[in-house]
Amino acid sequence: MTPPNCVRCKTKAVIRMREHRISFCREHYLEWVRAQTEHVIEKYHMFSKEDRILLAVSGGKDSLALWDVLYHLGYPADGLYINLGITEANDYSNQSQFLTEKFAAERGLNLHVVNIPTTYGSPVPTLALRTKRGKYKPCAVCGLIKRNVMNRIAREQQYNVLLTAHNLDDETAVLLSNTFVWQSEMLLRQMPVLEEGNGFSRKAKPFCRFTERETAAYTILSGIDYITDECPYSEGSKQFLFKDILNRMEEEQPGFKLRFYVSFLNTKKQGYFVNPNPEMDKPREMFICPECGSPTSRDDICAFCATLKENIAPRKSKKTETP
Ligand code: Q46
Ligand code: ZN
Ligand code: ZN
C-alpha cells in the first residue's frame, strides 16, 4: 500500500490517524496538535493568556509535549517538577529532573523543583512504606503527596490555574474503571476543567482529547528529549488493564476512545449525571491545616499531614498494623 500523503501539502505523511481519517507530514502534524490544543482550551474555557498558569511536569512525553505546545501558542505557563526520590529504573527521578531542567533551559522557561527527600526527610517509597495506605504499593501516598505539593506551590506562588497533561488514554481508563464499579462521585467530578473553589486553584487538562499515540508522536517529531523509562512502581497497575481493553476497542473501531469520552461529557452536559445531594455542590466550610497551611474540610490537620505523621510515628496497635 502506498504511504498516504499529508492532507495539507500532499508530501509524504509521517503519521496517519485512522480515528480522524487524516494524515500529516511532520510540520503539519505539529501545527495540527497546537491548533487542536488551542481549540480545547477555548472550548472548555480552561484559561487565557492573562492567567497565572502552573503545569505539573514529570519529564515524560505528555507533560513536556504540553509545555512545548503552550510555549508555541504563547501561554505563559511555568513548570513544577516534583522529585520523588525514586532511584530504581536508571535513577528514574534524577534522570527525569535532568531532562525537565534541560527542556526548560532550552526554551528559557521558569521551572519550580520540589525535592521530596530533602523536604520531607525520605523518598516517596520509604515514606509510603511506613504508612498503612502505602504498605504494599507507594502510589496512593505518592498521589496524595503530589497533589499536596501542587496545591501548595500554586497557592504560595499565586497561580490560579493548575494544569496536568492527562491524555485521552488516561481519561478513558479512569472513566472505564469508575463506570465498572459505578463510582458516581468520581464520575461527577471527572471533567476537562474543575473550577476553583474551597481554596484550590482551577484545574485543567488541555490534552484530554489526544491519544497517547498522538502525544508521543508530537514529542518525537518535535525532537523533545523525554524520559522513556516508566516509574518502576507503575508495573501491575490496573490502569494498564483498562488501557489495554480500550486499545483493543480502538483497534476494532477507530475513534472509540474519543467517542466514549466525548459522549460521556455530553451526557453529563445534558443533565443525566446529577448530584442527588445538591448541598454537596455548595462551597463547604473549610479550615486551614495548622501544619502545612492547606485548605481542608477537616477541623484538624489535613489528610496529607495526617499521613506524614503516621509515617513519622507509626501507630503500634495491632488493628493499625493489619492491612
Ligand atoms: S509516580 Fe508515584 Fe506514579 Fe510512580 S509511585 Fe506510583 S503514583 S507509578 S503516576
Ligand atoms: Zn504537510
Ligand atoms: Zn496539612
Side-chain angles (χ1 to χ4, degrees):
M1 199 177 115
T2 354
N5 288 335
C6 170
V7 293
R8 298 260 161 85
C9 67
K10 311 296 173 213
T11 60
K12 201 174 145 206
V14 295
I15 182 162
R16 176 178 174 223
M17 290 171 287
R18 288 202 302 155
E19 65 275 30
H20 300 296
R21 295 194 190 148
I22 39 175
S23 302
F24 287 118
C25 67
R26 176 187 171 277
E27 186 198 330
H28 287 119
Y29 180 67
L30 300 182
E31 204 177 277
W32 177 80
V33 171
R34 290 170 195 153
Q36 287 296 309
T37 310
E38 179 121 64
H39 170 71
V40 167
I41 293 169
E42 287 169 4
K43 180 177 172 62
Y44 297 108
H45 309 290
M46 290 184 165
F47 47 86
S48 74
K49 289 178 179 154
E50 279 67 54
D51 281 305
R52 291 257 308 143
I53 307 163
L54 181 66
L55 166 68
V57 270
S58 66
K61 61 179 177 9
D62 298 302
S63 53
L64 292 184
L66 177 54
W67 209 4
D68 187 76
V69 167
L70 295 173
Y71 167 74
H72 278 95
L73 292 173
Y75 287 98
D78 291 347
L80 167 62
Y81 177 80
I82 304 173
N83 186 315
L84 305 168
I86 294 171
T87 49
E88 302 97 312
N90 303 318
D91 204 10
Y92 177 75
S93 288
N94 289 334
Q95 185 58 17
S96 47
Q97 179 175 338
F98 168 77
L99 292 169
T100 307
E101 285 175 336
K102 179 170 158 272
F103 176 96
E106 283 166 358
R107 290 160 184 77
L109 295 166
N110 189 23
L111 175 68
H112 302 274
V113 176
V114 174
N115 186 294
I116 299 296
T118 317
T119 316
Y120 299 104
S122 298
V124 165
T126 314
L127 289 171
L129 208 59
R130 296 183 211 141
T131 69
K132 201 173 148 195
R133 270 176 100 180
K135 213 166 167 183
Y136 300 104
K137 212 169 190 289
C139 295
V141 174
C142 179
L144 189 67
I145 293 175
K146 285 193 287 192
R147 279 194 298 280
N148 184 279
V149 171
M150 285 190 258
N151 287 327
R152 176 171 64 79
I153 299 295
R155 190 173 66 249
E156 287 175 0
Q157 307 280 331
Q158 278 137 36
Y159 291 100
N160 64 321
V161 187
L162 188 50
L163 307 185
T164 52
H166 290 99
N167 59 40
L168 184 63
D169 293 49
D170 302 320
E171 289 300 296
T172 48
V174 168
L175 176 57
L176 189 61
S177 74
N178 285 335
T179 304
F180 273 150
V181 290
W182 298 115
Q183 269 277 13
S184 38
E185 236 182 89
M186 301 303 282
L187 289 168
L188 267 171
R189 278 179 60 81
Q190 188 174 0
M191 301 284 271
V193 184
L194 265 185
E195 276 313 321
E196 63 179 287
N198 294 328
F200 296 103
S201 315
R202 189 187 317 153
K203 301 207 167 65
K205 301 169 189 172
F207 268 5
C208 61
R209 291 173 65 136
F210 287 122
T211 61
E212 208 160 289
R213 176 177 175 260
E214 288 163 358
T215 59
Y218 182 92
T219 318
I220 293 163
L221 294 172
S222 299
I224 295 169
D225 209 0
Y226 66 98
I227 184 115
T228 47
D229 285 304
E230 295 281 350
C231 170
Y233 296 98
S234 64
E235 209 174 296
S237 154
K238 279 203 203 103
Q239 280 258 333
F240 289 142
L241 175 63
F242 294 119
K243 284 187 177 178
D244 187 45
I245 295 169
L246 288 158
N247 281 336
R248 279 190 263 161
M249 292 301 295
E250 184 75 26
E251 190 55 39
E252 289 293 319
Q253 299 176 28
F256 177 85
K257 291 181 215 172
L258 191 58
R259 282 197 298 278
F260 181 41
Y261 184 60
V262 170
S263 51
F264 162 69
L265 295 180
N266 287 342
T267 309
K268 236 158 68 151
K269 209 170 159 194
Q270 287 162 23
Y272 286 101
F273 286 79
V274 182
N275 193 336
N277 180 5
E279 285 298 307
M280 278 171 63
D281 285 339
K282 289 189 182 161
R284 283 181 282 167
E285 185 183 4
M286 296 298 280
F287 305 91
I288 299 292
C289 170
E291 300 272 338
C292 71
S294 286
T296 170
S297 53
R298 302 152 52 122
D299 185 10
D300 195 352
I301 55 170
C302 70
F304 165 76
C305 290
T307 306
L308 280 194
K309 277 222 180 308
E310 183 187 347
N311 185 337
I312 293 158
R315 285 180 235 157
K316 295 253 164 48
S317 81
K318 235 182 172 178
K319 198 176 166 210
T320 319
E321 298 285 309
T322 313

